[in-house]
Amino acid sequence: MAHADADGGVNRGSLYILGCRVDRVDAHEAAARISQLVERKVSAHVVTIGAEMANLAYADREYRDTINAADLVVPDTVGIVIASRLLRAPVPERVAGIDLLERLCADAAARGDSIYLLGGADGAAMAAAGALVQRHDGLRIAGAEHGYFREQESAAVCERIRSSGARLVFVGLGFPRQERWIREHLADLGPAVCIGVGGSFDVISGRLPRAPRALRQAGLEWLYRLVREPRRFRRQLALPIFAVRALVQSFGTRVGTPHTQVK
Ligand code: UDP
């Protein structure tokens, strides 16, 4: 049941899909909550969860704990939206990580906060930063660097981020690496909100095209990406498995299994 929260916004709570928390926020609410965290100058982790991630977390307790410990978990893919409906606790809409990133850049530019882009192949984060600056007047880039570093280099990466003073850190290392990396290093990044954004820098920089709006609205972005990047096939085998598991969970909900609570 939705109720008003302390700020007068709507608080629909969260649901659990295959044991993973998903916060029932729309794009506007997600951006507002993140902006509040930035303004409070706290360290925070935001997860943009997709069906493939929930599927992995189902079998990997540590990854599931990492997701569930995040400060905000937004429904990034159509699979998560459909599962939430099946579980009778619908999220208001899909909040795609790449759209959230654009909104947050607009808010950061308005406030004067700087952002850091970490991830992607050499040059992708820098090119994405250039494109974002063009679109968001006054946006301050604290830094941008590729995501193909070794774990031993993480301390130096963290130090660059911390000393840059970035308040928002977009981490595009792909899942599950980006969630694990953020959890492990959040305390070393200074007061920053870190968000896993997958391959967003590839799209923003123009290296990969985004699915046309009509396909996105039809919930077929996964199919477009599969055709453009056939190497995703193995990964996407997780989608039917996710669907079956979500169906089983929804059946359990109907007969009263307490696994799908809405909080
Ligand atoms: N990547 C990275 N470091 C790694 C592995 C991957 O920076 O060690 C980047 C990769 O270049 C790509 C992104 O992580 O930009 C993963 O993109 P993918 O499309 O797999 O993520 P999704 O958007 O589906 O979560």
Side-chain angles (χ1 to χ4, degrees):
M1 172 70 82
H3 59 273
D5 66 13
D7 306 313
V10 176
N11 185 349
R12 298 176 203 82
S14 313
L15 84 152
Y16 283 77
I17 301 177
L18 309 191
C20 286
R21 191 182 103 230
V22 180
D23 296 320
R24 299 172 66 211
V25 288
D26 63 23
H28 174 78
E29 289 154 4
R33 285 204 203 177
I34 293 167
S35 291
Q36 278 175 8
L37 291 166
V38 173
E39 280 164 17
R40 280 168 43 208
K41 295 194 169 52
V42 293
S43 294
H45 181 187
V46 177
V47 170
T48 55
I49 192 168
E52 295 160 7
M53 293 164 68
N55 208 41
L56 174 65
Y58 180 80
D60 181 334
R61 192 189 175 113
E62 205 187 326
Y63 188 51
R64 188 163 73 236
D65 289 347
T66 297
I67 292 171
N68 290 345
D71 298 272
L72 183 67
V73 184
V74 305
D76 181 29
T77 65
V78 68
I80 295 290
V81 175
I82 293 171
S84 75
R85 290 182 190 149
L86 274 175
L87 296 169
R88 301 181 177 191
V91 297
E93 62 179 347
R94 174 181 177 214
V95 182
I98 191 167
D99 298 327
L100 187 60
L101 185 159
E102 292 280 355
R103 259 179 199 264
L104 293 173
C105 284
D107 293 350
R111 281 194 309 266
D113 289 326
S114 61
I115 67 163
Y116 205 103
L117 277 60
L118 172 67
D122 199 16
M126 193 52 94
L132 288 167
V133 165
Q134 297 277 316
R135 282 203 282 277
H136 303 286
D137 207 19
L139 180 65
R140 292 171 53 212
I141 306 292
E145 59 180 288
H146 71 81
Y148 290 86
F149 54 90
R150 289 189 306 263
E151 193 41 46
Q152 314 80 287
E153 298 171 276
S154 283
V157 172
C158 291
E159 179 50 27
R160 283 194 288 278
I161 295 174
R162 200 192 56 73
S163 60
S164 77
R167 290 275 173 261
L168 270 167
V169 183
F170 297 105
V171 182
L173 302 177
F175 86 91
R177 188 179 176 204
Q178 61 197 14
E179 287 75 30
R180 290 178 176 147
W181 193 87
I182 293 172
R183 182 173 192 180
E184 186 146 335
H185 300 290
L186 186 61
D188 306 323
L189 302 176
V193 178
C194 290
I195 308 171
V197 292
S200 297
F201 304 151
D202 299 325
V203 176
I204 293 169
S205 65
R207 292 172 177 221
L208 273 181
R210 190 164 184 204
R213 184 180 293 269
L215 278 183
R216 298 204 305 265
Q217 282 171 346
L220 292 174
E221 188 161 16
W222 61 272
L223 181 60
Y224 181 84
R225 296 190 73 180
L226 180 60
V227 171
R228 301 294 306 210
E229 302 166 75
R231 65 178 172 83
R232 299 180 78 87
F233 177 71
R234 274 178 70 83
R235 256 182 67 165
Q236 290 196 346
L237 286 176
L239 295 177
I241 300 170
F242 170 83
V244 169
R245 285 175 171 163
L247 268 170
V248 168
Q249 189 188 338
S250 75
F251 181 71
T253 311
R254 272 160 224 180
V255 296
T257 311
H259 186 56
T260 318
Q261 71 275 41
V262 177
K263 284 194 176 166

